[in-house]
Amino acid sequence: MIRCEGVTYVYQRGTPFEATAIEDVSLEIAAGDAVGIIGATGSGKSTLVQHLNGLLRPTAGRVYLDDVDINAREVDRRRVRQQVGLLFQYPEHQLFEETVTADVGFGPRNLGLGPDEVRHRTARALAHVGLDPAVFGPRSPFTLSNGEMRRVAIAGLLAMEPRMLILDEPTAGLDPASRREILDHIMRLRSARGLTIALVSHSMDAVARLCRRVIVLDRGRVVAEGATRDVFADPGRLAALGLGVPQVAECARLLRERGVPVRPDVLTVDEARRAILDALAGRRPAPKNVP
Amino acid sequence: MDFLRGLMLGQYVPAESPVHRLDPRTKILGTMWLVGVLFATRSLAGLVVLTAFLGGVLAAGRIAPAYAVRGLRPVFWLVGIAVVFQVLFGDSGGHVLFRRGPLVVTRENLAAGAFYGYRLILLVAATTVMTFTTSSVELTDGLERLLRPFRRVGVPAHELALMMTIALRFIPTLFEETETIMKAQMARGAEFARGSLVARARALIPLLVPLFVGAFRRADALALAMEARGYRGGEHRTRMKELRVAVRDYVAAGMLLVVAAIVLLPPSVWRAVAGR
């Protein structure tokens, strides 16, 4: 479990470029949970998640992993980073090794594991993201497609075998098919391995599909927090913060405006289909102006 | 843990000030002029006058003194080394202050070391004041204009200015990218500041390879974007911002001349002026 208490971070302190990125952020991510972190550009999402594995040290406030202050002097930050994997934006930009296998094995090698264990974990991690180790392992990462490179980068984190995975815009800049595929893999990892997930995304659809809870940031502060369904049921509030809602929720809202009494809190296409059929069949109490 | 930020020597500080509004050519030539004066002077008093002048420019440019000194911090190391060399390997002879075996410290060498060290600091300070108050675009515009007369002898003024603009433009980007890649590799358990020298050198590979790949990718994209906009080099290009010399530039030039006169003319001249 990760807990932030009053975390504030100021960039370039003591210079004319000083800027407060996040201010007094407190939050908790329970083990096994899937939390979405949303907010307009510049709201401090990326800065916040870099505190969760000790890459940034808060200017004020504390970050706890299982009730241990991760910035305490005696804590080994490398162990924290092994347990809390952080996937940066455009992670394919960090690939550097000659082969996919070697690149995915970078993390396990840094953990000081033996060659057998490294090979094991590498193969397993590649399989988790749907890449056949025998086919992709020996290839150069620079010959892969964008979506494949992204998946290799994710495998590089999975090979560390973290308990928690923080994903900063994992699907940005990919085509719809690759986007869906990566989200599918993440969902499968969550259900199969019980990974705790924190997803930073501009894609409300991705958040709706993956997350049980949502934290909304605005200009460095937490302004809303709650179950995904409840947060997305209030499109007016989100629009005021420069955010949208999942496409199906928007669709439901438009239908309601036109007099079809669809439930407001739909998150997935399946739910929307059922809700619309229910509404059309009149199984829910319809407003008076609808025949 | 803002990596590398401390290295950003003399980064432009946007502000509204008389110094910021000066023509970049005035600032470039003025800085060269000051550096010339700095090397011509032999007296400590001259350096003090120049320090006061630079302090004045800094104040007029609305730069916090503490920030300016912070920007000079990396130079202090270099100066320290220069002073030590001067003291240890300078001329023998003079008043010995301290002697231990082959190590001899004389008063003359110590004074000379301090003088040269101080001069080095002022040299960097002068150029830093310029870069604090001049954006990179202005700087290269000014440089291009100053180099234009030399085109006749084959100096590719426009191309040089363009290369400089691009290089300056991408320095912050590369810094940012370095920071991100470092963090990303640290998230995979990499260590950059631990272990033997060999281990540290090897730790740079996961940083340098992606950095170079990224630089080439950016260069490609930039070239494509420039071609797509019909870029064809320096001929017949017009500018959005024309450089114009204003009254304040003449004032600045006058002040620079006065400072040079104060610093360089021997005291006897001043006594004669005062005595008349």
Side-chain angles (χ1 to χ4, degrees):
Chain A
M1 182 198 72
I2 279 196
R3 199 168 81 238
C4 291
E5 274 179 11
V7 171
T8 296
Y9 190 77
V10 182
Y11 277 104
Q12 309 221 41
R13 221 177 179 188
T15 73
F17 307 99
E18 185 173 299
T20 304
I22 52 175
E23 207 172 347
D24 196 21
V25 169
S26 298
L27 55 87
E28 209 175 295
I29 299 173
D33 206 353
V35 177
I37 300 174
I38 62 175
T41 306
S43 58
K45 307 180 294 281
S46 298
T47 305
L48 172 62
V49 293
Q50 287 178 39
H51 284 87
L52 302 182
N53 72 343
L55 279 173
L56 288 178
R57 182 187 283 265
T59 311
R62 286 181 205 288
V63 181
Y64 298 94
L65 175 63
D66 296 333
D67 294 317
V68 177
D69 183 345
I70 64 169
N71 291 302
R73 197 182 317 163
E74 67 278 5
V75 171
D76 182 2
R77 240 78 62 199
R78 266 201 291 187
R79 251 193 75 63
V80 172
R81 285 171 202 150
Q82 181 268 313
Q83 299 187 50
V84 183
L86 171 59
L87 186 80
F88 274 81
Q89 288 179 39
Y90 299 102
E92 60 273 21
H93 292 175
Q94 331 134 15
L95 302 176
F96 69 99
E97 280 282 11
E98 285 171 49
T99 66
V100 167
T101 305
D103 207 289
V104 175
F106 180 66
R109 286 201 303 278
N110 285 328
L111 296 178
L113 301 170
D116 282 339
E117 178 67 11
V118 171
R119 208 170 320 129
H120 240 82
R121 285 190 176 201
T122 306
R124 208 157 40 197
L126 281 171
H128 273 310
V129 293
L131 296 174
D132 184 349
V135 177
F136 286 92
R139 288 178 61 181
S140 160
F142 298 103
T143 60
L144 305 178
S145 76
N146 267 341
E148 288 163 350
M149 280 167 95
R150 182 82 50 104
R151 282 190 277 161
V152 169
I154 296 175
L157 270 190
L158 293 177
M160 308 270 289
E161 309 213 326
R163 289 188 293 151
M164 176 172 177
L165 202 55
I166 305 166
L167 305 151
D168 193 349
E169 296 283 4
T171 57
L174 294 182
D175 60 278
S178 303
R179 224 180 299 161
R180 202 170 324 118
E181 187 158 18
I182 281 182
L183 286 181
D184 285 346
H185 287 305
I186 296 170
M187 281 177 90
R188 218 166 300 137
L189 278 165
R190 179 167 132 65
S191 53
R193 306 227 335 236
L195 269 178
T196 310
I197 303 263
L199 174 71
V200 174
S201 185
H202 278 123
S203 162
M204 300 304 142
D205 294 285
V207 172
R209 258 190 79 194
L210 216 65
C211 302
R212 293 204 316 211
R213 229 152 49 84
V214 175
I215 295 169
V216 188
L217 288 184
D218 181 46
R219 278 164 292 172
R221 288 174 176 276
V222 175
V223 291
E225 194 180 347
T228 308
R229 208 172 284 287
D230 300 336
V231 171
F232 284 139
D234 189 357
R237 169 134 198 233
L238 289 173
L241 298 170
L243 297 169
V245 293
Q247 284 174 34
V248 287
E250 179 66 10
C251 173
R253 189 182 68 79
L254 291 172
L255 280 170
R256 260 196 326 279
E257 263 176 23
R258 280 157 185 72
V260 186
V262 184
R263 275 169 47 200
D265 54 348
V266 290
L267 291 178
T268 62
V269 176
D270 263 353
E271 280 180 16
R273 190 175 63 96
R274 230 166 305 138
I276 293 169
L277 288 176
D278 282 355
L280 291 177
R283 256 173 269 166
R284 277 173 66 98
K288 292 191 182 76
N289 60 343
V290 177
Chain B
M1 198 163 50
D2 292 28
F3 298 113
L4 309 168
R5 290 280 187 226
L7 287 176
M8 288 215 179
L9 202 73
Q11 196 191 2
Y12 177 57
V13 182
E16 267 295 310
S17 89
V19 184
H20 282 78
R21 276 195 298 270
L22 282 177
D23 191 300
R25 288 170 292 179
T26 313
K27 285 187 268 191
I28 294 170
L29 292 177
T31 306
M32 288 164 75
W33 175 253
L34 277 182
V35 169
V37 173
L38 203 50
F39 275 102
T41 183
R42 300 251 136 239
S43 72
L44 194 64
L47 296 190
V48 172
V49 172
L50 285 168
T51 310
F53 179 73
L54 282 175
V57 177
L58 215 54
R62 305 233 165 89
I63 309 283
Y67 181 66
V69 171
R70 254 180 61 144
L72 286 176
R73 231 169 8 189
V75 186
F76 292 149
W77 283 101
L78 196 68
V79 169
I81 293 166
V83 171
V84 167
F85 265 78
Q86 175 66 30
V87 169
L88 293 184
F89 304 111
D91 294 331
S92 51
H95 298 75
V96 177
L97 291 178
F98 178 85
R99 185 194 293 274
R100 176 168 290 171
L103 187 74
V104 182
V105 177
T106 67
R107 201 161 71 197
E108 283 76 7
N109 276 340
L110 206 58
F115 180 81
Y116 293 137
Y118 191 31
R119 196 161 70 175
L120 202 58
I121 292 175
L122 280 186
L123 176 77
V124 178
T127 47
T128 311
V129 167
M130 176 178 73
T131 50
F132 271 154
T133 57
T134 320
S135 75
S136 58
V137 175
E138 288 176 322
L139 211 58
T140 44
D141 268 3
L143 208 65
E144 181 175 358
R145 186 66 193 79
L146 286 173
L147 285 175
R148 206 188 284 168
F150 299 102
R151 267 203 315 211
R152 262 172 233 204
V153 291
V155 176
H158 175 76
E159 285 74 7
L160 281 176
L162 180 73
M163 277 195 279
M164 208 170 120
T165 310
I166 293 174
L168 286 172
R169 160 66 185 78
F170 280 99
I171 286 172
T173 311
L174 284 177
F175 267 108
E176 225 166 79
E177 184 135 319
T178 309
E179 201 172 315
T180 307
I181 297 170
M182 268 174 112
K183 283 181 182 165
Q185 307 297 26
M186 281 165 79
R188 292 206 279 163
E191 286 277 357
F192 292 98
R194 215 184 267 186
S196 66
L197 212 58
V198 178
R200 284 191 204 197
R202 190 170 305 175
L204 287 180
I205 296 173
L207 173 64
L208 290 180
V209 172
L211 201 58
F212 272 93
V213 172
F216 283 121
R217 188 180 52 234
R218 263 181 232 293
D220 256 353
L222 182 67
L224 197 66
M226 284 169 75
E227 271 188 52
R229 284 161 212 189
Y231 176 78
R232 283 203 359 247
E235 290 308 311
H236 311 300
R237 281 176 76 80
T238 54
R239 328 198 132 265
M240 190 162 91
K241 279 188 186 153
E242 296 280 350
L243 295 179
R244 264 196 202 98
V245 178
V247 177
R248 56 175 166 266
D249 293 294
Y250 291 111
V251 174
M255 284 163 77
L256 284 163
L257 282 174
V258 172
V259 168
I262 294 174
V263 172
L264 294 182
L265 293 182
S268 56
V269 176
W270 290 110
R271 268 197 294 276
V273 171
R276 220 164 34 150

